[in-house]
Amino acid sequence: MLRLTPMAIAVAALVLAPPLSTQDVDEAAPSLLVVGQPVEGVIEDGAAMVETETLVTRYTRAPTVGRTFRIEVDEGGAFTIELRSYFFDAYLVLRNDEGRVLAEDDDGLIGTHARLVVPELEPGATYHLEACALHAGRGAYELVLKRGEPPALSPADRAALELRDAERVLAIREKALGPEHPDTAQSLNNLALLLRSQGDSAAARPLLERALATREMALGPEHPDTAGSLNNLAALLHAQGDYAAAR
């Protein structure tokens, strides 16, 4: 029997039907995020804007939007909060009950997933967590609150996880959005740059060529993202010693 993971169900819902969150969030009374119980949903049009000093000063390309959750723990201690999405750049903001920002994170997990490691949450206190999509992103996500701090990863283990994650992002976007979509081209580009940074320029080159071709067709030859692909491919060709092709 085929069994679908909750994330796969959320992705299928995004592709095949109007997006529905598996947990409705009333911004006036945010839903409780329970320790060890992953929450899945979709950030969609109409999501509330989120602002912090960091977001306002550093992330100006488009508004950051998100969903709000409530955190209340019975036992204090360290906790880890993780937000994963294969459709947008994740961002987490933790506030106290008065709205003061206690912590925030962009890419603390792997790739564009966010992770907050909170040294201490107090029992009886109420916290508000904003699960956000940077640059007005939209799409499915998974959010989880865990007790304790995450184990440390060796550089080799982290590199392997980053590669598998980038490959998964590309596969999901190709299936959900199609091979000619600009977001698919972005995933091709990201995977290629990761492969190059890990020393596999031979595998990176065809991905950069695909990303360039897709962006030229979808966005046009004069678009800044197309120029970015030209630059990335030229840099790789130069590093490989193919100066004529790079020029």
Side-chain angles (χ1 to χ4, degrees):
M1 177 183 295
L2 177 63
R3 297 183 181 276
L4 296 177
T5 66
M7 177 64 85
I9 294 171
V11 171
L14 181 69
V15 177
L16 300 176
L20 295 174
S21 170
T22 57
Q23 178 167 339
D24 294 329
V25 180
D26 181 351
E27 295 299 335
S31 297
L32 181 66
L33 186 61
V34 179
V35 177
Q37 295 185 13
V39 171
E40 295 184 352
V42 177
I43 291 181
E44 50 199 3
D45 290 344
M49 288 183 57
V50 178
E51 291 186 349
T52 69
E53 183 177 351
T54 300
L55 288 172
V56 169
T57 57
R58 292 182 56 189
Y59 298 90
T60 58
R61 193 174 81 189
T64 297
V65 298
R67 311 295 296 272
T68 302
F69 295 84
R70 189 175 84 256
I71 294 177
E72 297 172 355
V73 297
D74 296 329
E75 297 181 10
F79 287 83
T80 300
I81 308 164
E82 295 180 351
L83 176 63
R84 295 176 181 265
S85 177
Y86 298 100
F87 295 92
F88 58 78
D89 190 355
Y91 197 93
L92 285 168
V93 179
L94 181 68
R95 304 178 190 264
N96 64 13
D97 205 24
E98 287 74 42
R100 181 170 65 87
V101 174
L102 302 177
E104 52 193 309
D105 178 75
D106 183 5
D107 299 328
L109 188 53
I110 292 172
T112 58
H113 308 309
R115 171 191 276 166
L116 275 178
V117 180
V118 187
E120 181 72 29
L121 290 180
E122 298 181 3
T126 298
Y127 302 89
H128 290 91
L129 179 73
E130 291 159 321
C132 308
L134 290 173
H135 317 306
R138 303 289 187 272
Y141 65 85
E142 180 180 88
L143 177 68
V144 63
L145 171 66
K146 304 176 183 178
R147 186 174 295 279
E149 299 183 2
L153 291 174
S154 69
D157 287 341
R158 184 170 185 85
L161 286 174
E162 288 176 340
L163 184 58
R164 287 200 296 270
D165 186 74
E167 291 171 340
R168 187 177 182 192
V169 172
L170 174 58
I172 288 174
R173 286 185 171 178
E174 280 185 320
K175 183 176 180 180
L177 305 174
E180 310 303 328
H181 196 280
D183 288 351
T184 302
Q186 182 63 53
S187 293
L188 285 164
N189 183 77
N190 293 346
L191 177 56
L193 294 181
L194 181 59
L195 286 165
R196 185 188 173 192
S197 72
Q198 295 183 1
D200 195 350
S201 295
R205 179 171 177 171
L207 297 176
L208 289 176
E209 290 170 342
R210 281 184 58 196
L212 173 59
T214 298
R215 283 175 165 170
E216 283 184 325
M217 182 174 65
L219 305 173
E222 308 302 326
H223 195 278
D225 288 350
T226 304
S229 282
L230 284 165
N231 181 76
N232 292 337
L233 180 56
L236 182 140
L237 292 167
H238 184 274
Q240 291 181 326
D242 193 346
Y243 304 121
R247 179 171 182 176

